[in-house]
Amino acid sequence: MFTIAKESTQEKIYNIHDIYALPVGKRAELIDGHIYYMTPPNTLHQKIASFLHIEIGNYIYGKKINCEVFPAPFAVFLFADNSKYLEPDISVINDPNKLSVCGCNGAPDWIIEIVSPGSRAMDYYIKLSLYHAAGVKEYWIVDPMKQTVLVYDVEHAAAPIVYSFSEQIKANIYENLYINFSELTEFLNE
């Protein structure tokens, strides 16, 4: 869930230093001077994130591909001006030069966001626009409430495709990575 930080009648413009000054354990994202506080994810959200991280990680490490997969919290600075600091649920980075001690500088190749009740507008609209503008090649929106996965293959300018949790979904940035969401359903029911 996201809430916007509000000050008095005069709106404060926040920057990356405000993100770093947050109390330990408090998470937020920064978009154009606004801080969006994040509530802790629930168990369902974390089970889905764990499943996806393991599936993607096993593929990457099994194929010995020179790239990295990171679960949240992981800092992504979409643009060089640090005006957009985000923490995607899953970030896949194929270019090791984008990685620093602080996180990812520039757009990850593939981002997955898992929708929470309070993050719906952020994931479906605001982040979609930001990720597209930054050059993210592939963006998945996993919606546990609808049991759907919306896949944007931005790199190939393809129309988005909606999948159900009973389908196998191909990751477009890799030649033969398929994630079987019916296995996720089994994993969730354990």
Side-chain angles (χ1 to χ4, degrees), residues 31-32 76-86 88 95 98 104-111 125-139 154-155:
I31 301 172
D32 298 328
V76 172
F77 302 90
L78 280 181
F79 300 100
D81 65 2
N82 288 339
S83 66
K84 291 157 186 71
Y85 166 91
L86 300 170
D95 181 356
K98 289 183 178 180
C104 180
N105 299 302
D109 295 275
W110 180 16
I111 289 179
Y125 303 108
I126 296 170
K127 288 185 177 181
L128 170 63
S129 176
L130 290 173
Y131 294 153
H132 183 23
V136 171
K137 295 176 183 174
E138 188 162 353
Y139 178 42
V154 181
E155 181 178 32

Short mmCIF file of all heavy atoms in Angstrom, two decimals, residues 31-32 76-86 88 95 98 104-111 125-139 154-155:
data_model
loop_
_atom_site.label_atom_id
_atom_site.label_comp_id
_atom_site.label_asym_id
_atom_site.label_seq_id
_atom_site.Cartn_x
_atom_site.Cartn_y
_atom_site.Cartn_z
N ILE A 31 9.32 9.64 -6.43
CA ILE A 31 8.99 9.93 -7.83
C ILE A 31 8.76 11.43 -7.95
O ILE A 31 7.80 11.97 -7.38
CB ILE A 31 7.74 9.16 -8.30
CG1 ILE A 31 7.96 7.65 -8.16
CG2 ILE A 31 7.39 9.53 -9.74
CD1 ILE A 31 6.73 6.81 -8.40
N ASP A 32 9.65 12.10 -8.64
CA ASP A 32 9.53 13.53 -8.94
C ASP A 32 9.21 14.38 -7.71
O ASP A 32 8.29 15.20 -7.73
CB ASP A 32 8.49 13.76 -10.03
CG ASP A 32 8.87 13.09 -11.34
OD1 ASP A 32 10.07 12.99 -11.62
OD2 ASP A 32 7.96 12.66 -12.07
N VAL A 76 16.49 0.87 -7.17
CA VAL A 76 16.59 1.11 -8.61
C VAL A 76 16.47 2.62 -8.83
O VAL A 76 15.46 3.23 -8.51
CB VAL A 76 15.50 0.36 -9.39
CG1 VAL A 76 15.50 0.78 -10.85
CG2 VAL A 76 15.69 -1.15 -9.27
N PHE A 77 17.54 3.20 -9.35
CA PHE A 77 17.57 4.61 -9.72
C PHE A 77 17.33 4.65 -11.23
O PHE A 77 18.25 4.42 -12.01
CB PHE A 77 18.93 5.23 -9.37
CG PHE A 77 19.28 5.09 -7.91
CD1 PHE A 77 19.97 3.98 -7.44
CD2 PHE A 77 18.89 6.07 -7.00
CE1 PHE A 77 20.28 3.86 -6.10
CE2 PHE A 77 19.21 5.95 -5.65
CZ PHE A 77 19.90 4.84 -5.20
N LEU A 78 16.09 4.90 -11.62
CA LEU A 78 15.73 4.79 -13.04
C LEU A 78 16.48 5.77 -13.93
O LEU A 78 16.79 5.45 -15.08
CB LEU A 78 14.22 4.99 -13.23
CG LEU A 78 13.34 3.80 -12.93
CD1 LEU A 78 11.88 4.15 -13.20
CD2 LEU A 78 13.74 2.57 -13.70
N PHE A 79 16.72 6.97 -13.43
CA PHE A 79 17.37 8.00 -14.24
C PHE A 79 18.55 8.58 -13.46
O PHE A 79 18.58 8.56 -12.24
CB PHE A 79 16.38 9.10 -14.60
CG PHE A 79 15.20 8.58 -15.39
CD1 PHE A 79 13.99 8.32 -14.77
CD2 PHE A 79 15.31 8.33 -16.75
CE1 PHE A 79 12.91 7.83 -15.48
CE2 PHE A 79 14.23 7.83 -17.47
CZ PHE A 79 13.03 7.59 -16.83
N ALA A 80 19.51 9.14 -14.17
CA ALA A 80 20.74 9.65 -13.57
C ALA A 80 20.49 10.78 -12.57
O ALA A 80 21.31 11.00 -11.68
CB ALA A 80 21.70 10.11 -14.67
N ASP A 81 19.38 11.49 -12.69
CA ASP A 81 19.14 12.62 -11.79
C ASP A 81 18.61 12.20 -10.41
O ASP A 81 18.34 13.04 -9.56
CB ASP A 81 18.19 13.62 -12.43
CG ASP A 81 16.79 13.06 -12.67
OD1 ASP A 81 16.51 11.89 -12.31
OD2 ASP A 81 15.96 13.81 -13.22
N ASN A 82 18.45 10.89 -10.17
CA ASN A 82 17.96 10.35 -8.89
C ASN A 82 16.56 10.84 -8.51
O ASN A 82 16.18 10.79 -7.35
CB ASN A 82 18.93 10.65 -7.74
CG ASN A 82 20.19 9.84 -7.82
OD1 ASN A 82 20.23 8.80 -8.47
ND2 ASN A 82 21.24 10.31 -7.18
N SER A 83 15.80 11.32 -9.48
CA SER A 83 14.44 11.80 -9.18
C SER A 83 13.44 10.66 -9.06
O SER A 83 12.31 10.88 -8.63
CB SER A 83 13.98 12.78 -10.26
OG SER A 83 13.83 12.10 -11.50
N LYS A 84 13.86 9.47 -9.48
CA LYS A 84 12.97 8.31 -9.43
C LYS A 84 13.72 7.14 -8.81
O LYS A 84 14.48 6.45 -9.45
CB LYS A 84 12.45 7.97 -10.82
CG LYS A 84 11.49 9.05 -11.32
CD LYS A 84 11.39 9.06 -12.81
CE LYS A 84 10.56 10.21 -13.29
NZ LYS A 84 11.21 11.52 -13.14
N TYR A 85 13.43 6.92 -7.54
CA TYR A 85 14.01 5.83 -6.77
C TYR A 85 12.88 4.85 -6.50
O TYR A 85 11.88 5.20 -5.86
CB TYR A 85 14.59 6.37 -5.46
CG TYR A 85 14.91 5.29 -4.46
CD1 TYR A 85 16.16 4.70 -4.42
CD2 TYR A 85 13.95 4.85 -3.55
CE1 TYR A 85 16.46 3.71 -3.50
CE2 TYR A 85 14.23 3.85 -2.62
CZ TYR A 85 15.48 3.29 -2.60
OH TYR A 85 15.76 2.30 -1.70
N LEU A 86 13.01 3.63 -7.01
CA LEU A 86 11.96 2.63 -6.84
C LEU A 86 12.54 1.34 -6.28
O LEU A 86 13.75 1.10 -6.36
CB LEU A 86 11.28 2.35 -8.19
CG LEU A 86 10.62 3.57 -8.83
CD1 LEU A 86 10.19 3.26 -10.25
CD2 LEU A 86 9.44 4.03 -8.02
N PRO A 88 11.35 -2.24 -7.04
CA PRO A 88 10.49 -3.27 -7.66
C PRO A 88 10.53 -4.57 -6.86
O PRO A 88 11.53 -4.85 -6.18
CB PRO A 88 11.11 -3.47 -9.04
CG PRO A 88 11.95 -2.26 -9.28
CD PRO A 88 12.42 -1.81 -7.94
N ASP A 95 23.01 -6.14 -17.53
CA ASP A 95 24.25 -5.38 -17.72
C ASP A 95 24.90 -5.13 -16.36
O ASP A 95 24.43 -4.30 -15.58
CB ASP A 95 23.91 -4.04 -18.38
CG ASP A 95 25.14 -3.18 -18.63
OD1 ASP A 95 26.26 -3.56 -18.22
OD2 ASP A 95 24.97 -2.09 -19.23
N LYS A 98 25.53 -1.64 -14.73
CA LYS A 98 24.48 -0.84 -14.09
C LYS A 98 24.45 -1.03 -12.58
O LYS A 98 23.80 -0.27 -11.87
CB LYS A 98 23.10 -1.22 -14.65
CG LYS A 98 22.86 -0.77 -16.07
CD LYS A 98 21.45 -1.12 -16.50
CE LYS A 98 21.17 -0.62 -17.90
NZ LYS A 98 19.79 -0.97 -18.33
N CYS A 104 20.83 -0.49 -8.57
CA CYS A 104 20.86 -0.46 -10.04
C CYS A 104 20.75 0.98 -10.51
O CYS A 104 19.80 1.69 -10.16
CB CYS A 104 19.71 -1.29 -10.60
SG CYS A 104 19.64 -1.33 -12.40
N ASN A 105 21.70 1.40 -11.33
CA ASN A 105 21.69 2.75 -11.91
C ASN A 105 21.24 2.65 -13.35
O ASN A 105 22.00 2.27 -14.22
CB ASN A 105 23.08 3.37 -11.81
CG ASN A 105 23.53 3.51 -10.37
OD1 ASN A 105 22.86 4.15 -9.59
ND2 ASN A 105 24.62 2.87 -10.03
N GLY A 106 19.98 2.96 -13.58
CA GLY A 106 19.37 2.81 -14.89
C GLY A 106 18.29 1.75 -14.84
O GLY A 106 18.00 1.19 -13.78
N ALA A 107 17.71 1.48 -15.97
CA ALA A 107 16.57 0.56 -16.03
C ALA A 107 17.01 -0.89 -15.99
O ALA A 107 17.86 -1.31 -16.77
CB ALA A 107 15.78 0.81 -17.30
N PRO A 108 16.43 -1.69 -15.08
CA PRO A 108 16.62 -3.14 -15.18
C PRO A 108 16.02 -3.63 -16.50
O PRO A 108 15.18 -2.96 -17.10
CB PRO A 108 15.83 -3.69 -13.99
CG PRO A 108 15.75 -2.55 -13.03
CD PRO A 108 15.66 -1.32 -13.91
N ASP A 109 16.43 -4.79 -16.95
CA ASP A 109 15.90 -5.34 -18.20
C ASP A 109 14.48 -5.86 -18.01
O ASP A 109 13.65 -5.77 -18.90
CB ASP A 109 16.81 -6.46 -18.71
CG ASP A 109 18.17 -5.90 -19.08
OD1 ASP A 109 18.31 -5.41 -20.21
OD2 ASP A 109 19.07 -5.90 -18.22
N TRP A 110 14.23 -6.43 -16.83
CA TRP A 110 12.93 -7.06 -16.57
C TRP A 110 12.53 -6.70 -15.14
O TRP A 110 13.33 -6.86 -14.21
CB TRP A 110 13.06 -8.56 -16.74
CG TRP A 110 11.84 -9.40 -16.50
CD1 TRP A 110 10.54 -8.99 -16.45
CD2 TRP A 110 11.82 -10.81 -16.32
NE1 TRP A 110 9.71 -10.08 -16.23
CE2 TRP A 110 10.49 -11.20 -16.15
CE3 TRP A 110 12.82 -11.79 -16.27
CZ2 TRP A 110 10.11 -12.53 -15.95
CZ3 TRP A 110 12.45 -13.10 -16.06
CH2 TRP A 110 11.11 -13.47 -15.91
N ILE A 111 11.32 -6.22 -14.99
CA ILE A 111 10.79 -5.89 -13.67
C ILE A 111 9.47 -6.61 -13.47
O ILE A 111 8.64 -6.68 -14.39
CB ILE A 111 10.59 -4.37 -13.49
CG1 ILE A 111 11.95 -3.68 -13.40
CG2 ILE A 111 9.72 -4.06 -12.27
CD1 ILE A 111 11.87 -2.18 -13.26
N TYR A 125 -0.36 1.89 -13.50
CA TYR A 125 -0.31 3.14 -14.27
C TYR A 125 1.01 3.89 -14.10
O TYR A 125 1.75 4.09 -15.07
CB TYR A 125 -1.49 4.04 -13.90
CG TYR A 125 -2.81 3.36 -14.11
CD1 TYR A 125 -3.57 2.95 -13.02
CD2 TYR A 125 -3.27 3.08 -15.39
CE1 TYR A 125 -4.78 2.29 -13.21
CE2 TYR A 125 -4.47 2.42 -15.58
CZ TYR A 125 -5.22 2.02 -14.49
OH TYR A 125 -6.39 1.36 -14.67
N ILE A 126 1.29 4.31 -12.89
CA ILE A 126 2.46 5.17 -12.67
C ILE A 126 3.75 4.43 -13.01
O ILE A 126 4.57 4.91 -13.79
CB ILE A 126 2.48 5.69 -11.22
CG1 ILE A 126 1.26 6.59 -10.99
CG2 ILE A 126 3.78 6.44 -10.93
CD1 ILE A 126 1.03 6.98 -9.54
N LYS A 127 3.94 3.24 -12.45
CA LYS A 127 5.18 2.51 -12.70
C LYS A 127 5.26 2.03 -14.14
O LYS A 127 6.35 2.01 -14.72
CB LYS A 127 5.33 1.35 -11.72
CG LYS A 127 5.66 1.82 -10.32
CD LYS A 127 5.94 0.67 -9.40
CE LYS A 127 6.33 1.15 -8.02
NZ LYS A 127 6.63 0.04 -7.12
N LEU A 128 4.15 1.64 -14.73
CA LEU A 128 4.16 1.24 -16.14
C LEU A 128 4.75 2.37 -16.99
O LEU A 128 5.63 2.14 -17.82
CB LEU A 128 2.74 0.90 -16.61
CG LEU A 128 2.57 0.69 -18.12
CD1 LEU A 128 3.40 -0.49 -18.62
CD2 LEU A 128 1.10 0.50 -18.45
N SER A 129 4.28 3.58 -16.77
CA SER A 129 4.76 4.73 -17.54
C SER A 129 6.24 4.99 -17.27
O SER A 129 7.02 5.23 -18.21
CB SER A 129 3.92 5.95 -17.17
OG SER A 129 4.41 7.09 -17.81
N LEU A 130 6.63 4.94 -16.01
CA LEU A 130 8.04 5.19 -15.67
C LEU A 130 8.97 4.14 -16.26
O LEU A 130 10.02 4.46 -16.82
CB LEU A 130 8.20 5.22 -14.15
CG LEU A 130 7.60 6.41 -13.41
CD1 LEU A 130 7.70 6.20 -11.91
CD2 LEU A 130 8.28 7.70 -13.83
N TYR A 131 8.58 2.88 -16.12
CA TYR A 131 9.43 1.80 -16.62
C TYR A 131 9.56 1.87 -18.14
O TYR A 131 10.62 1.63 -18.70
CB TYR A 131 8.89 0.44 -16.18
CG TYR A 131 8.95 0.20 -14.68
CD1 TYR A 131 8.06 -0.67 -14.08
CD2 TYR A 131 9.89 0.83 -13.87
CE1 TYR A 131 8.10 -0.91 -12.70
CE2 TYR A 131 9.94 0.60 -12.51
CZ TYR A 131 9.04 -0.27 -11.93
OH TYR A 131 9.09 -0.51 -10.58
N HIS A 132 8.47 2.20 -18.79
CA HIS A 132 8.50 2.32 -20.25
C HIS A 132 9.45 3.46 -20.66
O HIS A 132 10.31 3.29 -21.53
CB HIS A 132 7.10 2.56 -20.78
CG HIS A 132 6.99 2.64 -22.27
ND1 HIS A 132 7.89 2.08 -23.13
CD2 HIS A 132 6.05 3.22 -23.06
CE1 HIS A 132 7.54 2.32 -24.38
NE2 HIS A 132 6.43 3.02 -24.36
N ALA A 133 9.31 4.62 -20.01
CA ALA A 133 10.16 5.77 -20.33
C ALA A 133 11.63 5.50 -20.04
O ALA A 133 12.51 6.02 -20.74
CB ALA A 133 9.68 6.99 -19.55
N ALA A 134 11.92 4.69 -19.03
CA ALA A 134 13.31 4.43 -18.64
C ALA A 134 13.99 3.38 -19.51
O ALA A 134 15.20 3.25 -19.48
CB ALA A 134 13.36 3.98 -17.17
N GLY A 135 13.20 2.60 -20.26
CA GLY A 135 13.79 1.59 -21.14
C GLY A 135 13.76 0.17 -20.60
O GLY A 135 14.53 -0.68 -21.07
N VAL A 136 12.89 -0.11 -19.62
CA VAL A 136 12.73 -1.49 -19.16
C VAL A 136 12.22 -2.31 -20.34
O VAL A 136 11.27 -1.91 -21.03
CB VAL A 136 11.73 -1.55 -17.97
CG1 VAL A 136 11.38 -2.98 -17.62
CG2 VAL A 136 12.31 -0.82 -16.77
N LYS A 137 12.84 -3.46 -20.60
CA LYS A 137 12.48 -4.27 -21.77
C LYS A 137 11.22 -5.08 -21.56
O LYS A 137 10.46 -5.34 -22.50
CB LYS A 137 13.63 -5.19 -22.15
CG LYS A 137 14.86 -4.45 -22.61
CD LYS A 137 16.01 -5.40 -22.88
CE LYS A 137 17.25 -4.62 -23.27
NZ LYS A 137 18.41 -5.51 -23.39
N GLU A 138 11.00 -5.53 -20.31
CA GLU A 138 9.85 -6.38 -20.02
C GLU A 138 9.33 -6.05 -18.63
O GLU A 138 10.11 -5.88 -17.70
CB GLU A 138 10.26 -7.85 -20.11
CG GLU A 138 9.12 -8.81 -20.00
CD GLU A 138 9.47 -10.20 -20.52
OE1 GLU A 138 10.56 -10.39 -21.09
OE2 GLU A 138 8.63 -11.09 -20.35
N TYR A 139 8.01 -5.94 -18.51
CA TYR A 139 7.37 -5.60 -17.25
C TYR A 139 6.19 -6.52 -17.02
O TYR A 139 5.31 -6.62 -17.87
CB TYR A 139 6.92 -4.13 -17.28
CG TYR A 139 6.19 -3.65 -16.05
CD1 TYR A 139 6.61 -3.99 -14.77
CD2 TYR A 139 5.08 -2.82 -16.16
CE1 TYR A 139 5.94 -3.53 -13.64
CE2 TYR A 139 4.41 -2.34 -15.04
CZ TYR A 139 4.85 -2.70 -13.78
OH TYR A 139 4.19 -2.25 -12.67
N VAL A 154 7.96 -4.69 -23.82
CA VAL A 154 8.24 -3.33 -24.28
C VAL A 154 9.32 -3.34 -25.36
O VAL A 154 9.23 -2.60 -26.34
CB VAL A 154 8.66 -2.43 -23.10
CG1 VAL A 154 8.93 -1.01 -23.56
CG2 VAL A 154 7.59 -2.45 -22.01
N GLU A 155 10.31 -4.21 -25.20
CA GLU A 155 11.42 -4.25 -26.15
C GLU A 155 10.94 -4.51 -27.58
O GLU A 155 11.46 -3.93 -28.53
CB GLU A 155 12.41 -5.35 -25.74
CG GLU A 155 13.61 -5.44 -26.66
CD GLU A 155 14.60 -6.50 -26.21
OE1 GLU A 155 14.19 -7.53 -25.63
OE2 GLU A 155 15.79 -6.28 -26.45
#
